[in-house]
Amino acid sequence: MSAPLGVRMELGLYLAAAVVGGLLATGVRLPPLVGYLVAGFALGAMGAPAPDGLEQVADLGVVLLLFAIGLKFDARTLLRREIWLTTSVHIVLSTAVTLGFLGLLALVGPALVADEPLGGLALVGFALSFSSTVFVVKVLEDRSDTTSLYGRIAVGLLVMQDVVAVAFMALSGGEVPSPWALALVLVVPAAWPLHRIWDRIGHGELQALFGVTVAVAVGWGLFEAAGVHGELGALVMGVLLAKHPGASEMSRSLMTFKDLMLVAFFLQIGLHGRPGATELLLAVALLAVLPLQVAFYAVLLWAMRLRRRTAFLTGLVLANFSEFGIIVAVVGASGGLLDDRWVVVVSLAVAISFAVSALVNRRGVELASRMVKLLPHHSTHELHPDDRLVDVGHSDALVLGLGRIGAATYEQLRDGYGLSVVGVEHDPARVSELTTRGFDVLRADATDVEFWTRVRRAGRVQMVVLAMPFHKANLIALARLQKAGFTGKVAAVARYDDDVDELRRHGADAVFHLYGSAGTALADHAAEVLLHRDAARGHDPEVLLHRKAARAHDPEVLVPDPEAQEPEAAPKGAD
């Protein structure tokens, strides 16, 4: 049964608005999500009715996003001092500064704050002390920086903020967990049977369906049923499955599905009421606390012995307000702590902060490089172990990405050609495994600009092999190499013809077409088997070698078999 015409028109309107907004944003070199936000506010201002199910689709997108984060997240990160201590101190400082700023507005412009109680203003300050998990992870993914050091720190801070947010919601009366919430600890031993089921599933769409089922039914569904935020449940389930060998593949298989549904999330941000001039002015004024939040993050992380560039990059990517602020405003308004207009104000502030943060982070690396002068320099021995200089000058070749292709390349260069090789891999489990096998491995992300600023004395390196599974990651690493002044040879792997052409255009000296070259390699292996068979039967193996050499000289010529005999003429009169 088809949907009513009105429903289809509403859905078509929202889809068209999202496409137009995304195109306009990319046309001025902004992330598409800024266009989705603008489209949402335009639809809200027009009074366009939201299609049925828009909120559910948006929720599903957030759930899958957090599940995908969990698949790549190391839970031990939360125990690090630079995560839990920075989060705690930053929330206190940010809440205090925003409260003071709103108090100053109450003196300067009483109409803006309209005699809100001190507790209500503190609630707004607390809500705006969080950064948006959805936005930040999207920015990191677009940069391929999710696994970089500053990316891992940013995600760790966001997860800790989510934990604080859930605790607040539980204590605020917005949503009290049921006694059954204690039983959620059983999901930890339940990870073992889920791993075994996953082992039997294999690859393809069934694996993606399994991931969606675990994220939505187990993570989101069970946690919501127990009165705990389902988004946290999706994150937890992702972390519990992160050790599975297929975690990276599942994360990639969910990427397009997740990104499409997140469009609904950004569209609905603009549907929280029609703002007036006062609400818009107040929302813009609240953006004044963002630079202070960046400063708090940078100083706190620098105090944790991280490099100044790492500290500022983390602070800049977290320079936005969280969609959680909208939830807090709704809870405060429903409890009588805030006027209803604060829901509109906070929604506007969140959306505008996304646009501002997107603009800032377009040049985040350049800005961080300029801002390092604002903090004193750490000596190398004082730096955090993960942020110290790395020395690759003793190697002849670097292999970036040590999956199956990268590891095989490493072994062939080392064992087959006698080169001194260093591998670069971001996955800690993979690093540990390869180290035990005798590989010289650095745990780092080759697409991370910070990695290349930390590389020291690379003058002996003659070759770099780009063996990462994502084409975009290989392109970024190639650009990082060129910017670092590398003059050696660069080889890369690619899956598709246009990827091969793009890598060559950007300066790769040799590109291995994964699918095209696989056919040649398979033919060579098949020929080797045939050679061994013929040798065992007493045939001359030079025949195949002769054919191969001739075909290499002129592929269009069919080489006759020297051993082939002309067929004897049939006797006259024979049938």
Side-chain angles (χ1 to χ4, degrees):
M1 181 178 178
S2 62
L5 179 61
V7 174
R8 283 179 282 170
M9 292 296 292
E10 292 170 4
L11 181 60
L13 174 63
Y14 272 72
L15 289 173
V19 171
V20 171
L23 286 173
L24 291 175
T26 54
V28 293
R29 302 184 65 182
L30 284 174
L33 64 87
V34 176
Y36 306 149
L37 287 167
V38 173
F41 272 102
L43 291 168
M46 292 166 51
D52 292 337
L54 181 67
E55 184 176 354
Q56 288 75 16
V57 172
D59 289 342
L60 193 56
V62 174
V63 165
L64 292 180
L65 174 70
L66 292 172
F67 179 69
I69 294 172
L71 288 173
K72 296 181 285 187
F73 187 71
D74 186 352
R76 293 172 296 181
T77 303
L78 299 179
L79 302 178
R80 294 165 56 170
R81 187 175 59 139
E82 62 266 24
I83 301 299
W84 64 264
L85 185 57
T86 299
T87 301
S88 305
V89 176
H90 183 271
I91 288 175
V92 172
L93 291 176
S94 183
T95 301
V97 166
T98 306
L99 175 60
F101 179 74
L102 289 172
L104 181 63
L105 284 181
L107 296 176
V108 176
L112 291 175
V113 180
D115 299 324
E116 289 290 344
L118 185 64
L121 297 180
L123 186 62
V124 174
F126 174 74
L128 297 181
S129 67
F130 295 85
S131 299
S132 170
T133 300
V134 179
F135 180 85
V136 172
V137 172
K138 196 76 176 64
V139 170
L140 291 173
E141 286 183 346
D142 290 343
R143 289 182 181 175
S144 293
D145 278 352
T146 308
T147 55
S148 66
L149 177 60
Y150 89 89
R152 297 197 308 268
I153 291 172
V155 172
L157 293 171
L158 291 167
V159 172
M160 280 300 298
Q161 289 179 358
D162 288 342
V163 172
V164 174
V166 170
F168 168 80
M169 295 300 293
L171 297 174
S172 66
E175 190 170 349
V176 179
S178 75
W180 288 103
L182 297 174
L184 292 175
V185 296
L186 295 177
V187 299
V188 177
W192 186 87
L194 289 175
H195 276 256
R196 302 292 74 79
I197 295 171
W198 193 350
D199 291 338
R200 300 180 65 86
I201 283 176
H203 311 279
E205 70 277 3
L206 188 56
Q207 178 177 241
L209 180 60
F210 174 72
V212 172
T213 302
V214 172
V216 176
V218 183
W220 192 23
L222 285 182
F223 277 65
E224 286 283 348
V228 179
H229 272 268
E231 290 83 356
L232 180 64
L235 179 67
V236 169
M237 295 311 302
V239 170
L240 292 176
L241 296 182
K243 297 298 182 183
H244 193 278
S248 295
E249 182 183 351
M250 178 180 286
S251 179
R252 291 194 297 269
S253 66
L254 295 176
M255 184 176 297
T256 302
F257 190 45
K258 160 184 63 78
D259 288 346
L260 282 174
M261 288 187 290
L262 282 174
V263 174
F265 169 82
F266 290 112
L267 283 173
Q268 72 162 0
I269 289 288
L271 303 180
H272 289 279
R274 299 184 184 184
T278 302
E279 288 78 17
L280 181 60
L281 182 61
L282 185 54
V284 172
L286 285 171
L287 298 179
V289 304
L290 283 178
L292 294 175
Q293 292 195 8
V294 173
F296 293 154
Y297 278 124
V299 171
L300 289 169
L301 292 172
W302 172 83
M304 302 295 171
R305 299 183 296 119
L306 289 166
R307 297 171 73 239
R308 295 172 294 177
R309 282 169 60 93
T310 304
F312 278 114
L313 274 173
T314 308
L316 287 170
V317 81
L318 294 170
N320 50 78
F321 299 135
S322 172
E323 59 280 357
F324 172 69
I326 302 171
I327 300 173
V328 171
V330 171
V331 171
S334 62
L337 297 175
L338 292 172
D339 189 87
D340 288 339
R341 74 190 186 105
W342 281 100
V343 177
V344 178
V345 171
V346 173
S347 298
L348 274 172
V350 170
I352 298 172
S353 77
F354 286 180
V356 171
S357 186
L359 286 168
V360 169
N361 280 284
R362 273 181 56 194
R363 306 187 65 85
V365 174
E366 292 84 349
L367 287 173
S369 300
R370 295 175 184 174
M371 296 166 72
V372 295
K373 303 174 184 177
L374 301 176
L375 291 174
H377 174 69
H378 284 307
S379 62
T380 300
H381 71 275
E382 293 175 330
L383 286 171
H384 191 285
D386 290 345
D387 214 14
R388 291 176 184 167
L389 296 175
V390 292
D391 189 355
V392 298
H394 64 282
S395 61
D396 301 309
L398 288 178
V399 178
L400 309 182
L402 291 176
R404 285 173 293 183
I405 295 175
T409 303
Y410 181 108
E411 290 181 307
Q412 182 67 5
L413 291 174
R414 181 191 62 186
D415 303 334
Y417 294 91
L419 299 178
S420 174
V421 188
V422 171
V424 178
E425 172 61 42
H426 73 272
D427 184 355
R430 184 67 173 163
V431 170
S432 177
E433 175 196 343
L434 292 173
T435 302
T436 60
R437 289 169 49 185
F439 284 61
D440 186 358
V441 188
L442 293 173
R443 184 193 171 190
D445 184 351
T447 65
D448 180 12
V449 67
E450 284 299 286
F451 168 72
W452 296 107
T453 63
R454 291 166 52 215
V455 170
R456 177 177 57 185
R457 201 170 62 84
R460 178 178 158 183
V461 177
Q462 305 170 31
M463 175 188 295
V464 173
V465 180
L466 308 176
M468 290 171 284
F470 291 109
H471 173 64
K472 183 178 179 181
N474 287 326
L475 278 177
I476 292 174
L478 180 57
R480 302 280 194 249
L481 277 169
Q482 293 169 340
K483 190 171 183 179
F486 179 70
T487 57
K489 300 298 183 182
V490 178
V493 64
R495 295 173 182 268
Y496 306 108
D497 292 337
D498 51 348
D499 293 347
V500 172
D501 295 338
E502 188 171 16
L503 283 164
R504 285 176 175 158
R505 284 198 309 271
H506 284 78
D509 298 289
V511 183
F512 179 85
H513 193 309
L514 189 59
Y515 296 138
S517 302
T520 304
L522 179 59
D524 287 340
H525 284 303
E528 288 175 10
V529 172
L530 186 57
L531 284 172
H532 290 303
R533 188 202 68 178
D534 287 348
R537 293 180 177 179
H539 296 169
D540 186 0
E542 294 298 325
V543 174
L544 281 177
L545 296 177
H546 170 70
R547 289 177 177 174
K548 180 178 180 181
R551 290 285 291 170
H553 176 71
D554 188 356
E556 298 301 322
V557 176
L558 287 175
V559 181
D561 187 344
E563 292 187 341
Q565 300 295 325
E566 289 292 330
E568 295 183 359
K572 291 184 178 181
D575 291 346

